[in-house]
Amino acid sequence: MWKKLAIFLLVLLLFAGGVVVYLWLQVTALPDWYTELAAESAVVPVEGPDGKLQWVPASAHTGRKELRNFHRKAARSAPEVKEVIKASRATFEDGKLEAGVVADLRKLPTEKMSGDQQGLFERARQAFPSLTERDVYIGVEDPSPVLKNGKIGVGPSARVKIGEFTYSLDGAAEKLGMTPDKLRAELEKHMRELGVEAPD
């Protein structure tokens, strides 16, 4: 009897270990485009005559526009952006927006953050421990963004993406200990700071 129990517990333990490894791989997965943009280190965002980033047609997809490495413009005036963010991409197709970055949060200059920002970083670190241990993809998927006066607003059905995991705005906000409205405002603020504006 005890042998059957031991075998059952061993199988259960192996299964649990497999689940943990699977979840780890999912949360730390990097998007396919990251490899491409990392290989094309010279890829820079396209700027218009007014200095704003220009959405360009994606060669493989008709009707799809994208911004590649949009973080590099912000890095000109804030060098720490280039240290933390390794690649960035935003796509807009059929009214749907996906924008995200591959970041190394170990290089985040926490000493330069305000008290509120340090508190948010600490809550994020506790809610998503893998975020501060290696490169990670952090993004937003929004099937109905609010586009107004050249700005992008995060719509009600937006989802936060970390690696391959997606969280509703409410779920991500709860994990971070903030309201969905506050998280929405933070996402919109960071997109503006990185120069991501509504496509034409």
Side-chain angles (χ1 to χ4, degrees):
M1 178 70 165
W2 65 270
K3 287 183 180 179
K4 287 183 179 178
L5 180 61
I7 290 170
F8 173 74
L9 291 175
L10 180 61
V11 168
L12 191 61
L13 183 61
L14 288 173
F15 175 74
V19 168
V20 168
V21 169
Y22 172 77
L23 293 176
W24 171 256
L25 292 174
Q26 289 295 99
V27 94
T28 58
L30 298 176
D32 293 338
W33 57 259
Y34 173 61
T35 307
E36 180 186 333
L37 286 183
E40 300 174 11
S41 58
V43 173
V44 294
V46 177
E47 294 180 46
D50 57 1
K52 292 182 181 178
L53 296 178
Q54 300 294 303
W55 290 82
V56 296
S59 58
H61 301 276
T62 58
R64 179 175 175 174
K65 297 178 180 181
E66 65 180 29
L67 292 174
R68 297 165 62 112
N69 282 335
F70 55 79
H71 72 285
R72 290 190 178 169
K73 181 177 181 191
R76 292 179 201 152
S77 58
E80 60 272 10
V81 169
K82 191 173 182 182
E83 288 295 314
V84 175
I85 299 176
K86 296 188 166 193
S88 56
R89 187 181 81 159
T91 60
F92 189 77
E93 182 176 18
D94 297 330
K96 297 176 185 173
L97 173 75
E98 183 175 344
V101 300
V102 173
D104 181 353
L105 299 183
R106 294 170 291 194
K107 296 186 177 179
L108 199 62
T110 53
E111 69 282 353
K112 293 182 180 179
M113 295 178 171
S114 69
D116 287 346
Q117 291 171 329
Q118 287 180 355
L120 177 60
F121 176 72
E122 185 58 30
R123 288 193 303 274
R125 192 182 64 74
Q126 290 172 0
F128 308 102
S130 63
L131 290 183
T132 55
E133 297 171 5
R134 58 189 297 163
D135 293 349
V136 67
Y137 174 72
I138 304 166
V140 62
E141 296 176 337
D142 196 342
S144 54
V146 179
L147 308 176
K148 187 174 180 182
N149 298 328
K151 304 289 183 225
I152 297 176
V154 177
S157 54
R159 300 182 64 79
V160 174
K161 190 168 182 180
I162 299 172
E164 289 293 319
F165 278 115
T166 56
Y167 299 87
S168 68
L169 207 60
D170 291 355
E174 184 179 333
K175 277 186 142 321
L176 293 170
M178 59 197 319
T179 67
D181 287 342
K182 176 69 175 165
L183 178 56
R184 180 178 284 109
E186 286 290 324
L187 291 170
E188 291 171 354
K189 174 184 161 205
H190 291 302
M191 278 196 284
R192 281 192 308 272
E193 287 174 349
L194 291 172
V196 180
E197 298 189 16
D200 298 329

